[in-house]
Amino acid sequence: MALDSEQKRVLKAGLPASLGAVLGTIVGMLAQGKLDSWKEALIGIGVGLLFALLFCVFYVLGSKIPKKNDDSAKE
């Protein structure tokens, strides 16, 4: 599937923002002492990255602008 300009714009904006939010949340939780071990932090990072990638895929698919179908106008 080829990406149009709107989908590329959404991907360029969404991917770094969501990855930064995941890493920032984990670092913040470590700084506050809410995580007991690095194992919990790595699990949190992994789950957060999966959700971030999933949301980026949904945003890219949802930003697809349908093309006008000229065949329907003839009927």
Side-chain angles (χ1 to χ4, degrees):
M1 176 174 111
L3 299 177
D4 61 4
S5 63
E6 180 68 16
Q7 288 174 320
K8 288 178 185 177
R9 186 188 67 79
V10 167
L11 192 60
K12 285 179 186 177
L15 196 58
S18 59
L19 295 178
V22 169
L23 294 176
T25 302
I26 297 299
V27 169
M29 290 176 73
L30 279 172
Q32 293 176 357
K34 293 185 178 181
L35 292 176
D36 294 332
S37 67
W38 282 103
K39 182 179 177 182
E40 288 181 12
L42 291 176
I43 290 172
I45 289 172
V47 171
L49 289 177
L50 285 176
F51 279 121
L53 291 175
L54 183 66
F55 280 118
C56 281
V57 167
F58 285 140
Y59 283 137
V60 167
L61 291 177
S63 67
K64 180 146 178 78
I65 300 173
K67 296 185 183 202
K68 186 176 179 182
N69 189 357
D70 290 331
D71 293 336
S72 64
K74 293 179 182 178
E75 295 177 5

